[in-house]
Amino acid sequence: MPLKEIDPLLKRIGLYEHRKKPAAKLSQGQTQRLILARAILHKPKVLFLDEPTSGLDPSTALEVHKMLMESKAEGMSIFLTTHNMEEATKLCDHVALLNEGVIVEYGSPEEICLKYNKMKKYKVQLTDGTKHLLDQGAETAEKIASWMAGGQIETLHSCEPTLETVFLEVTGRKLQ
């Protein structure tokens, strides 16, 4: 790669001020960003990553996520292996959930979560601090519409499962 492309990349990943420091002297987060920078420097069409944010603090993980999303937006295909279902939901267009090496579910994170949405409930918190868990139906729709018209809703959330919850369900695993 031309040397002129290295400094802008080091600036992008926040390592420019450490450019003369030996890699062995970098922190774990800095090392992880350096590894990722080396992987994307030559702008591959396909990138394989294994747990790219494992052991990183939230702000460094967020920076890695930004880099991956930018690379993805530039047309790079990224295969990501992770145990972090929140990360998979955030970064992946498609996921394959594996159990003992076998794909047990495949699709977009949203599709998978909606497929396993059996509760069909809504959590509502009103401006007076009261909380309600409501079943889907006409009566709930009327209540919510009334509260909305009165400006009483502080928060409203659907209760579909997370990708982590789905993973535990389809693999039959339990938290230990």
Side-chain angles (χ1 to χ4, degrees):
M1 293 301 301
L3 290 175
K4 67 180 190 230
E5 294 189 31
I6 295 173
D7 282 350
L9 182 57
L10 288 174
K11 287 176 184 173
R12 180 176 162 198
I13 64 167
L15 290 178
Y16 183 76
E17 62 276 6
H18 302 287
R19 68 190 177 282
K20 300 211 185 273
K21 188 185 284 187
K25 300 279 186 189
L26 296 173
S27 71
Q28 182 179 359
Q30 292 167 336
T31 301
Q32 199 75 352
R33 284 183 283 154
L34 179 61
I35 290 168
L36 184 57
R38 288 179 61 198
I40 65 173
L41 180 62
H42 67 287
K43 297 183 176 137
K45 291 183 180 178
V46 180
L47 179 64
F48 291 86
L49 296 172
D50 184 20
E51 303 280 355
T53 59
S54 179
L56 299 182
D57 65 85
S59 64
T60 304
L62 182 60
E63 288 304 313
V64 169
H65 290 170
K66 284 181 187 176
M67 286 178 62
L68 294 175
M69 295 301 283
E70 288 170 10
S71 297
K72 182 174 129 180
E74 293 168 1
M76 188 181 297
S77 295
I78 302 170
F79 284 81
L80 173 72
T81 59
T82 184
H83 289 90
N84 183 334
M85 295 297 113
E86 187 177 331
E87 182 172 72
T89 299
K90 181 178 178 180
L91 298 177
C92 299
D93 295 327
H94 295 89
V95 297
L97 300 179
L98 288 98
N99 185 36
E100 298 180 6
V102 176
I103 295 175
V104 292
E105 194 58 75
Y106 176 81
S108 75
E110 182 181 26
E111 289 169 347
I112 293 171
C113 291
L114 290 175
K115 179 179 176 180
Y116 289 85
N117 184 17
K118 296 176 175 85
M119 285 181 38
K120 307 283 188 194
K121 292 185 183 282
Y122 302 90
K123 291 180 185 176
V124 181
Q125 181 172 334
L126 301 179
T127 53
D128 67 5
T130 60
K131 297 178 182 180
H132 304 269
L133 182 61
L134 307 168
D135 291 316
Q136 183 171 299
E139 187 178 317
T140 292
E142 288 173 19
K143 264 187 194 175
I144 291 173
S146 171
W147 287 332
M148 279 189 164
Q152 296 173 278
I153 294 183
E154 187 72 38
T155 64
L156 171 63
H157 299 279
S158 58
C159 296
E160 67 270 5
T162 64
L163 198 56
E164 181 175 23
T165 305
V166 172
F167 176 81
L168 293 172
E169 181 178 334
V170 298
T171 62
R173 295 185 185 187
K174 303 283 185 244
L175 294 177
Q176 311 227 349

